[in-house]
Amino acid sequence: MATLLINLLGLIAIAAIVWWFWIAPRKQRSASIGADAQMQVLVKDGVYSPDRIRVPANEKTVLHFLREDPSPCAEWVLFPDLEVSAQLGVDQLTEIVVHPKQAGEYPFHCQMQMYRGTLIVE
């Protein structure tokens, strides 16, 4: 009986983790910035804030990531479609320059894809 209870609790814990990181709807926080502008992105409590960033196409944009979450998952931010990545120090601003040439949506995330965001190029 104890084994059954332990297994059941383990399955519930796994389901909760999957729901929290991959399924749960998140309140989208979006922001827009103009050409040659800068923006701060907060990395805290398992999310990027804002997690939807609108930028103009073919313009250099500087994003300042402030990592307040000491979790190892929050250590890196990757923009795979733009071939940009950076290691984020805890309680430090990290400047990331992106220069998307074409309009579209470019995902960004941590190395485990638990923290997620979208760079919207217009």
Side-chain angles (χ1 to χ4, degrees):
M1 185 64 172
T3 304
L4 179 64
L5 181 61
I6 291 170
N7 287 335
L8 184 60
L9 290 174
L11 288 174
I12 290 171
I14 291 169
I17 289 169
V18 168
W19 179 83
W20 175 256
F21 286 109
W22 292 288
I23 299 173
R26 301 201 187 272
K27 183 187 341 177
Q28 293 183 348
R29 295 158 294 278
S30 63
S32 298
I33 55 178
D36 295 319
Q38 299 181 13
M39 171 179 287
Q40 182 170 314
V41 179
L42 182 63
V43 182
K44 182 178 179 182
D45 298 330
V47 296
Y48 295 120
S49 183
D51 60 356
R52 295 181 61 78
I53 303 168
R54 294 182 186 281
V55 300
N58 207 21
E59 298 288 339
K60 178 179 85 169
T61 303
V62 179
L63 302 173
H64 293 277
F65 279 76
L66 176 61
R67 176 182 168 206
E68 291 184 357
D69 192 337
S71 165
C73 186
E75 186 175 8
W76 286 88
V77 63
L78 310 166
F79 292 79
D81 295 338
L82 301 175
E83 297 181 0
V84 173
S85 65
Q87 187 172 13
L88 308 176
V90 178
D91 295 324
Q92 296 177 9
L93 274 177
T94 303
E95 183 177 286
I96 299 173
V97 178
V98 294
H99 195 164
K101 305 283 188 211
Q102 297 180 11
E105 292 191 1
Y106 298 89
F108 60 95
H109 50 78
C110 68
Q111 68 270 23
M112 294 176 64
Q113 297 189 23
M114 291 181 167
Y115 293 74
R116 297 174 303 216
T118 304
L119 185 69
I120 302 167
V121 181
E122 301 173 327

